Amino acid sequence: MAEKSRMKDIVAQLNEHNYRYYVLDEPTISDKEYDQVYDELISLEEELSIVLEDSPSRRVGGDTLKKFATHKHIAPLLSLDKCKTFEELRAWDNRVKKLISGTNDKLDYVVEYKFDGLTINLTYDDGKLIQAATRGNGTVGEEVLEQVKTIKTVPLTINYKHKIEVQGECLMRLSVLEKYNEAAREPLKNARNGAAGAIRNLDPKITAKRNLSAFCYNVGFSEHQNFKTHLAMLDFLRESMFYVNEHITQCLDIDEVITAIEKMEEKVGERDYLIDGIVIKVNNVSLRKILGSTHKFPRWAMAYKFEAKEVTTKLENIVWQVGRTGKLTPLAILEPTDIGGVTVSRATLNNWEDINRKKVKIGCDVWLRRSNDVIPEITGCADEDCVETMQNVKPVNCPACGSKVFSKGAHIFCSNPLSCKPQLVARISHFASRDAMNIEGLSEKTIQQLNEALGLDGVADLYELEYENLIGLDRFGEKKAQNIIDAIEASKNCSLSTFIYGLGIPNVGKKTASDLAKQCNTLEDIKKAQFEELIEISDIGDIVAKSIVDFFNDETVAKSIDKLISKGVNPVNEQASEIKSFFSGKTVVVTGTLVKYDRREIKSLLEKLGATVASSVSKNTDFLLAGENAGSKLKKAEKIIEGNKKSKLQIIDEDKLEKLIF
Ligand code: IVH
């Protein structure tokens, strides 16, 4: 049947593109082209009433489950022994050497990241993913097959046809978390909770929305496959299209291990996912067999954990802060305490429900955690007695303006958006901020001062300010006053997307603002856009679309925008003004430290010239702009050029870029 073979063909094509996009980070077709082929697949599946085992349409999330069934792992998922210092690591190396003395096999180690997500165990049989389970207690976990199928880096089918269990870690990339939180009504606290919450959600469609990834690092059980080394096992996983992390180092002795760890620790900021340590594993499987396991963990592996960062301290007070949207956020005032070398005296509590769920009360001792990445977080109460005796008080009035508050979902809001000072100040600060109208010199403190001294009470009032108004104010010299006036004037010529972002529409971050500007031609079109038109834009869902419509329907907003335009603010759609240039249609990656230019300015200039500025180097990259101390991206580009002398990829520096642009 021609249609069935076309279907098989499309599924293979789409899986290949998914692999290139999610695992290799080297896409070869655009999202639009992918969507076209995908739509054809869906039509064929409907027409033939067949869905192939490895069809990407199986990843959208099936029906909501009633509860999670339990799952017994074939091979238990062991824990890892932990250490925190290099001395302890050397002691482990000595123990290993002692236990294997007398054997001829050579000892070497493999060093890899310890991912901080949710462990999953994947079962394949006859080449198909037949089950996926959480770790649970290591022997029995919970079945989460439908949830795991939504993870694009987990293959639905593999070439290996016997039964096999593959272990890995499910993660939410930090960039994905950031994008998710920009539009989320209830932002996720960190990527670990984001991943764990998504997998343990009974509705797989919600899991699918979180856009998770998974690295695989171990074969726990396999019917007919014996690996001689860990590296050979990783090769097998890679060949079977699993996503294996690229930062894996083979070390011949413990000194090399320590150097490798130090290098990996240095790269903290470069990673797009969380880790909480490094795992060191004996490479040779026959040595592993000699070393064996205790009842809890194997003797052939060790986790070098980054400093434990959980302490207890006293919760002295909870103060409520009012943000741009009028939301009241509780801030915990703590007895100052040292956590991982940093003194912490404040921590965020998310909302009233969060306070109650964690059972924390003013006056009691609380657990405070600072993981490698995230801001300090209170995780719970450390003093059960307090819970019985103390009471927190839910705010009735706004702590800033005294107006009544109201609850919406888990949050509390001030009912007075017009004259509540912190809201005004935060709105103007957001409007003036670097990523919005970029009005230099207007810090939150200055805006507060202008609000108090001059009655500045909306973004449009900024454009009525005159030099004479500023010069008399406290801490304002001639230069500062003039600079601010000039910066306000300069901001009148702005791009439509930064203007939209600056307006501070609830749930609209930079990405959505830019999508809106791209899809709608003018500010007028955005203002008039109907809910139905907005949800057609990819990445804009019901909540965001409703926020946009409600925002522009508000009379105060409409007046404020009219006033901005009448004062000369001129948002220009950057898409429309795109110039045909040498860079039109080219893909550029920027890496390293730039000395002549600001990185953001260069990126936006390149985009104006029609280039796509990508974050990673691939065969499709045309230019790599390499600044000082360029690292892995430069190496990758050099490798691509070395591997293919005809490659279009060129490595350029700032001088060369100047010549090409100007
Ligand atoms: S190997 C027994 N490698 O850390 C050895 N585990 O504290 C099998 N984990 O739940 C595990 N990154 O799932 C291994 N690169 C890595 C890992 C890793 C994270 C998890 C593992 C386990 C936990 C142990």
Side-chain angles (χ1 to χ4, degrees):
M1 214 156 93
E3 276 147 333
K4 182 140 188 226
S5 87
R6 170 76 187 141
M7 184 187 229
K8 275 190 184 158
D9 192 40
I10 299 184
V11 166
Q13 262 183 48
L14 292 174
N15 281 336
E16 167 80 16
H17 287 307
N18 264 332
Y19 183 72
R20 285 180 173 279
Y21 186 91
Y22 290 100
V23 177
L24 302 180
D25 196 11
E26 284 177 2
T28 46
I29 60 166
S30 68
D31 291 359
K32 206 169 151 199
E33 286 165 312
Y34 180 94
D35 289 347
Q36 273 166 2
V37 187
Y38 185 84
D39 288 346
E40 189 188 341
L41 171 67
I42 300 301
S43 312
L44 277 173
E45 287 181 345
E46 274 166 13
E47 197 183 313
L48 303 176
S49 299
I50 302 174
V51 179
L52 296 180
E53 213 52 64
D54 55 345
S55 166
S57 72
R58 289 188 182 265
R59 295 188 183 276
V60 293
D63 294 340
T64 305
L65 308 176
K66 293 228 161 46
K67 69 190 222 4
F68 291 112
T70 52
H71 172 85
K72 191 166 184 314
H73 307 298
I74 306 175
L77 274 72
L78 298 178
S79 302
L80 290 167
D81 196 4
K82 300 177 194 64
C83 71
K84 284 186 191 151
T85 64
F86 291 146
E87 285 72 48
E88 289 172 89
L89 198 57
R90 285 183 190 282
W92 170 68
D93 171 58
N94 284 331
R95 288 201 299 278
V96 167
K97 283 193 226 147
K98 223 182 205 167
L99 285 168
I100 60 165
S101 63
T103 49
N104 289 329
D105 285 321
K106 239 184 112 41
L107 172 68
D108 63 341
Y109 292 113
V110 177
V111 176
E112 48 192 64
Y113 286 142
K114 184 170 183 322
F115 306 106
D116 193 8
L118 186 82
T119 305
I120 45 169
N121 194 24
L122 310 169
T123 315
Y124 290 82
D125 198 4
D126 197 19
K128 278 183 232 140
L129 175 66
I130 57 161
Q131 197 47 272
T134 59
R135 179 176 185 280
N137 62 10
T139 310
V140 177
E142 282 175 327
E143 287 181 2
V144 284
L145 178 62
E146 286 308 315
Q147 284 73 3
V148 166
K149 273 188 186 168
T150 69
I151 306 174
K152 310 271 197 335
T153 57
V154 171
L156 298 178
T157 55
I158 56 174
N159 285 338
Y160 183 74
K161 296 290 179 237
H162 304 285
K163 204 165 207 178
I164 187 166
E165 272 188 346
V166 175
Q167 298 163 7
E169 201 82 357
C170 201
L171 300 159
M172 193 168 188
R173 285 193 168 270
L174 301 177
S175 51
V176 171
L177 174 76
E178 196 182 323
K179 196 168 147 202
Y180 181 92
N181 276 352
E182 263 192 13
R185 183 188 289 213
E186 185 74 53
L188 298 167
K189 264 178 298 185
N190 58 50
R192 184 181 350 91
N193 293 5
I199 291 293
R200 304 204 68 263
N201 197 306
L202 289 165
D203 181 357
K205 292 206 169 59
I206 293 187
T207 321
K209 286 202 178 115
R210 298 264 175 106
N211 196 2
L212 303 180
S213 273
F215 285 121
C216 287
Y217 44 69
N218 199 33
V219 173
F221 165 85
S222 68
E223 244 169 12
H224 291 285
Q225 185 70 282
N226 291 316
F227 303 104
K228 286 209 165 73
T229 62
H230 183 65
L231 289 177
M233 185 194 73
L234 293 180
D235 282 342
F236 165 83
L237 288 177
R238 249 182 238 112
E239 279 158 23
S240 305
M241 314 296 247
F242 288 96
Y243 193 11
V244 177
N245 188 262
E246 71 266 35
H247 300 284
I248 288 169
T249 317
Q250 183 182 13
C251 298
L252 299 183
D253 59 31
I254 199 69
D255 288 327
E256 282 190 20
V257 167
I258 288 170
T259 313
I261 293 177
E262 282 171 342
K263 277 201 185 138
M264 285 165 116
E265 256 189 303
E266 271 170 25
K267 296 201 173 141
V268 176
E270 283 181 27
R271 272 186 316 268
D272 195 22
Y273 42 84
L274 295 181
I275 62 165
D276 60 348
I278 306 281
V279 188
I280 306 99
K281 299 172 180 174
V282 169
N283 188 23
N284 188 315
V285 171
S286 46
L287 290 182
R288 285 186 180 187
K289 284 190 183 136
I290 296 170
L291 291 162
S293 300
T294 70
H295 64 287
K296 272 208 220 132
F297 43 72
R299 292 194 192 85
W300 46 261
M302 178 60 86
Y304 174 81
K305 293 269 281 187
F306 296 143
E307 191 98 36
K309 288 164 187 157
E310 193 150 36
V311 295
T312 60
T313 188
K314 189 169 164 190
L315 176 63
E316 292 186 331
N317 200 0
I318 297 175
V319 293
W320 292 83
Q321 294 183 314
V322 189
R324 176 158 60 88
T325 57
K327 192 196 279 176
L328 269 59
T329 308
L331 177 74
I333 308 293
L334 305 163
E335 191 174 301
T337 181
D338 180 277
I339 178 161
V342 179
T343 305
V344 174
S345 55
R346 287 157 175 246
T348 153
L349 282 158
N350 295 293
N351 51 50
W352 176 249
E353 278 183 13
D354 188 44
I355 297 174
N356 292 332
R357 194 175 50 242
K358 288 175 176 164
K359 298 197 176 114
V360 293
K361 301 275 168 85
I362 297 171
C364 59
D365 282 342
V366 291
W367 281 106
L368 183 67
R369 180 184 157 112
R370 192 174 82 96
S371 13
N372 44 59
D373 53 306
V374 269
I375 42 172
E377 181 197 359
I378 290 179
T379 52
C381 177
D383 182 354
E384 291 298 319
D385 294 345
C386 281
V387 177
E388 302 301 321
T389 54
M390 313 252 192
Q391 274 309 320
N392 295 324
V393 183
K394 185 174 180 178
V396 181
N397 298 98
C398 170
C401 72
S403 304
K404 283 255 167 302
V405 297
F406 63 93
S407 297
K408 199 168 152 193
H411 299 287
I412 303 172
F413 289 84
C414 165
S415 58
N416 165 27
L418 291 179
S419 59
C420 176
K421 270 193 187 161
Q423 287 186 61
L424 278 175
V425 171
R427 273 206 299 272
I428 304 175
S429 301
H430 172 78
F431 182 77
S433 67
R434 216 175 148 174
D435 288 333
M437 301 296 273
N438 193 16
I439 308 178
E440 223 169 295
L442 278 188
S443 66
E444 181 148 351
K445 213 167 141 200
T446 306
I447 292 166
Q448 210 162 356
Q449 186 186 6
L450 298 182
N451 172 267
E452 271 158 28
L454 305 170
L456 183 76
D457 65 4
V459 289
D461 289 359
L462 285 174
Y463 296 90
E464 287 182 338
L465 287 177
E466 290 182 8
Y467 176 81
E468 288 69 33
N469 302 133
L470 302 181
I471 191 68
L473 300 177
D474 208 18
R475 298 189 309 273
F476 268 81
E478 286 176 15
K479 200 165 163 214
K480 179 169 170 182
Q482 192 57 50
N483 282 348
I484 289 185
I485 295 293
D486 291 347
I488 293 175
E489 186 60 30
S491 74
K492 287 180 180 172
N493 290 320
C494 56
S495 76
L496 182 57
S497 71
T498 51
F499 180 78
I500 293 293
Y501 173 63
L503 290 177
I505 308 169
N507 302 315
V508 173
K510 279 181 274 180
K511 164 86 171 62
T512 309
S514 156
D515 290 348
L516 275 172
K518 266 183 206 155
Q519 296 300 320
C520 308
N521 278 332
T522 62
L523 175 61
E524 280 312 304
D525 289 343
I526 299 178
K527 277 163 61 180
K528 281 191 304 219
Q530 303 287 312
F531 178 86
E532 290 72 24
E533 296 166 52
L534 291 168
I535 50 172
E536 285 298 307
I537 302 176
S538 81
D539 285 350
I540 295 190
D542 293 5
I543 293 169
V544 179
K546 186 169 181 315
S547 279
I548 298 168
V549 173
D550 288 352
F551 183 82
F552 288 110
N553 278 341
D554 185 308
E555 238 176 77
T556 326
V557 168
K559 274 193 193 142
S560 169
I561 295 178
D562 289 347
K563 192 165 166 190
L564 284 166
I565 304 298
S566 76
K567 293 286 165 199
V569 176
N570 181 26
V572 176
N573 190 344
E574 61 268 59
Q575 288 296 104
S577 68
E578 205 175 82
I579 313 160
K580 259 262 158 265
S581 80
F582 173 78
F583 280 100
S584 298
K586 301 266 169 29
T587 302
V588 187
V589 175
V590 184
T591 188
T593 316
L594 302 185
V595 283
K596 287 193 171 176
Y597 296 99
D598 179 282
R599 191 181 259 255
R600 283 190 219 213
E601 278 169 14
I602 267 304
K603 281 189 175 170
S604 89
L605 178 59
L606 284 166
E607 276 167 357
K608 281 215 178 83
L609 292 170
T612 303
V613 180
S615 55
S616 60
V617 174
S618 73
K619 283 200 305 244
N620 298 321
T621 312
D622 294 283
F623 294 100
L624 175 74
L625 170 61
E628 285 179 4
N629 300 322
S632 58
K633 287 182 192 164
L634 178 59
K635 281 214 182 88
K636 186 161 179 197
E638 285 167 347
K639 223 171 151 188
I640 292 175
I641 296 170
E642 220 178 86
N644 174 11
K645 296 282 179 249
K646 284 195 193 139
S647 161
K648 61 177 179 172
L649 177 55
Q650 285 186 46
I651 300 167
I652 55 171
D653 59 11
E654 286 174 89
D655 291 339
K656 174 85 183 165
L657 181 82
E658 249 176 15
K659 284 192 190 129
L660 291 171
I661 292 183
F662 302 111

